């Protein structure tokens, strides 16, 4: 296990060279180095060290994707294996059914899809299509994102594509610091299941809904394509790379930022505000009452 000083130095190096807002890295580096010099981390290791450094990072820069994370799964420290956490993310998606927890047909011919992770648009396309095929003939749809903790931007765009008629909707842009480029995200031209058009869609959210789950919620809400029911989400809008700085410690560094084409902004730090605010545990019941008032 590297020393605490080495872990923090490696983490700061990743933040300084990769964080999407380089002008903020001077203050970040000064704050963490100051704590290190003062001995704030001297008696900490493992999860406790990660929690302390994360709290101090977010004290000076309240970006919820900027974190030091403990992982029980050992990580390779070999530079040739460095991929920003992509391989681990894809493996997790495979083990969790591409993020789709359940698909149901509820009373009143209302479809329900519970999503825990937003899959990639490549490996996840067939699973997303299978879920959408099962609800294709429902009269209304509920997307349960209350437990959705994140995922892939291109996967979020694919989920959103099902609710628009063609490939002519410019959903959002993502600016990437490392390449100094902006990538546009549009609705997909071809999908493996029918599009879900001209029927109501309600999205359920909680204070735990994060990142990719917020992307889907914010995008469909901004376009007037879905009503959001539940709690204001957690507020993390920056696509992020993960780098191993010790065998069991990762630093997560936001390397890009999302720009919604309707609002010109995103949900970073503020979350997605629901159209119908209710406690998360009441969100499904509330949505169903709105979708089937006669039942």
């Amino acid at each position: 296990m590297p020393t605490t000083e080495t872990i923090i130095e490696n983490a700061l190096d990743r933040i300084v060279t990769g964080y999407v807002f380089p002008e903020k890295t001077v203050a970040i580096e000064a704050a963490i180095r100051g704590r290190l010099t003062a001995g704030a981390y001297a008696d900490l290791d493992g999860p406790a060290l990660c929690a302390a450094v994360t709290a101090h990072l977010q004290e000076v820069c309240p970006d919820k994707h900027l974190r030091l994370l403990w992982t029980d799964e050992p990580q390779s420290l070999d530079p040739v294996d460095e991929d920003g956490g992509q391989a681990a993310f894809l493996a997790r998606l495979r083990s969790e059914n591409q993020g789709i927890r359940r698909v149901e047909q509820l009373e009143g011919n209302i479809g329900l899809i519970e999503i825990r992770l937003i899959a990639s648009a490549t490996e996840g396309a067939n699973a997303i299509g299978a879920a959408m095929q099962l609800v294709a003939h429902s009269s209304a749809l509920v997307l349960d994102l209350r437990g959705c903790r994140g995922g892939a931007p291109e996967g979020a765009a694919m989920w959103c594509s099902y609710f628009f008629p063609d490939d002519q909707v410019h959903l959002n842009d993502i600016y990437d610091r490392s390449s100094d480029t902006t990538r546009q995200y549009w609705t997909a031209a071809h999908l493996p299941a029918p599009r879900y058009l001209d029927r109501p869609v309600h999205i359920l959210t909680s204070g735990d809904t994060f990142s990719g789950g917020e992307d889907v919620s914010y995008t469909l809400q901004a376009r007037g394509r879905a009503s959001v029911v539940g709690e204001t989400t957690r507020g993390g809008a920056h696509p992020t790379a993960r780098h191993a700085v010790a065998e069991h410690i990762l630093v997560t560094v936001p390397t890009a930022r999302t720009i919604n084409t309707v609002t010109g902004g995103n949900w970073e730090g503020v979350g997605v505000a629901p159209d119908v605010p209710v406690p998360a545990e009441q969100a499904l019941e509330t949505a169903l009452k709105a979708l089937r008032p006669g039942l």
Side-chain angles (χ1 to χ4, degrees):
M1 180 80 167
T3 65
T4 296
E5 183 173 345
T6 299
I7 291 169
I8 290 176
E9 289 290 347
N10 289 342
L12 287 175
D13 181 62
R14 290 293 191 177
I15 292 169
V16 169
T17 58
Y19 188 48
V20 65
F21 297 110
E23 67 277 7
K24 295 183 179 181
T25 61
V26 173
I28 293 170
E29 189 173 21
I32 300 302
R33 286 192 190 283
R35 300 266 190 177
L36 180 63
T37 301
Y41 311 122
D43 299 322
L44 303 177
D45 58 13
L49 175 64
C50 292
V53 174
T54 297
H56 297 152
L57 284 169
Q58 296 187 1
E59 219 173 74
V60 67
C61 182
D63 185 324
K64 293 181 180 177
H65 275 114
L66 189 62
R67 297 173 290 175
L68 214 58
L69 292 178
W70 176 264
T71 172
D72 292 329
E73 186 73 23
Q75 305 295 306
S76 171
L77 297 175
D78 193 327
V80 301
D81 295 329
E82 175 69 35
D83 70 348
Q86 186 65 12
F89 173 64
L90 292 176
R92 182 183 175 193
L93 284 167
R94 293 181 202 118
S95 71
E96 297 189 26
N97 198 36
Q98 299 300 329
I100 299 167
R101 182 66 174 268
R102 63 176 171 144
V103 183
E104 289 187 33
Q105 182 185 34
L106 304 178
E107 184 181 0
N109 193 28
I110 295 172
L112 170 69
I113 303 176
E114 181 181 356
I115 306 165
R116 292 295 181 91
L117 285 170
I118 304 297
S120 71
T122 48
E123 287 199 20
N126 288 337
I128 295 170
M132 290 304 298
Q133 184 69 60
L134 288 172
V135 301
H137 301 294
S138 60
S139 57
L141 179 63
V142 175
L143 295 179
D144 187 351
L145 299 178
R146 288 176 292 182
C148 187
R149 304 296 196 271
E154 70 275 10
M158 173 161 280
W159 274 110
C160 290
S161 293
Y162 279 95
F163 305 103
F164 300 98
D166 50 37
D167 60 352
Q168 300 302 304
V169 181
H170 183 185
L171 299 169
N172 55 50
D173 295 330
I174 293 183
Y175 168 76
D176 179 74
R177 175 190 169 182
S178 63
S179 60
D180 193 28
T181 59
T182 298
R183 176 178 174 182
Q184 296 182 344
Y185 287 80
W186 293 69
T187 46
H190 303 288
L191 296 168
R195 295 178 190 268
Y196 198 90
L197 307 175
D198 305 319
R199 284 162 287 174
V201 178
H202 283 204
I203 294 174
L204 312 184
T205 59
S206 76
D208 291 328
T209 306
F210 191 55
S211 193
E214 294 177 291
D215 188 344
V216 173
S217 304
Y218 189 92
T219 301
L220 293 179
Q221 181 190 59
R223 287 272 168 189
R225 188 59 192 90
S227 177
V228 176
V229 181
E231 299 171 348
T232 298
T233 61
R234 196 168 149 200
H238 297 152
T240 302
R242 296 182 172 209
H243 306 283
V245 293
E247 193 177 29
H248 291 279
I249 296 179
L250 302 168
V251 61
T252 67
V253 183
T255 57
R257 59 186 174 90
T258 302
I259 306 159
N260 183 269
T261 54
V262 174
T263 68
N266 60 43
W267 57 95
E268 178 63 38
V270 295
V272 181
D275 299 294
V276 183
V278 294
E281 62 272 15
Q282 297 175 20
L284 178 57
E285 179 185 2
T286 300
L288 292 178
K289 283 181 178 178
L291 291 171
R292 55 187 191 200
L295 294 179

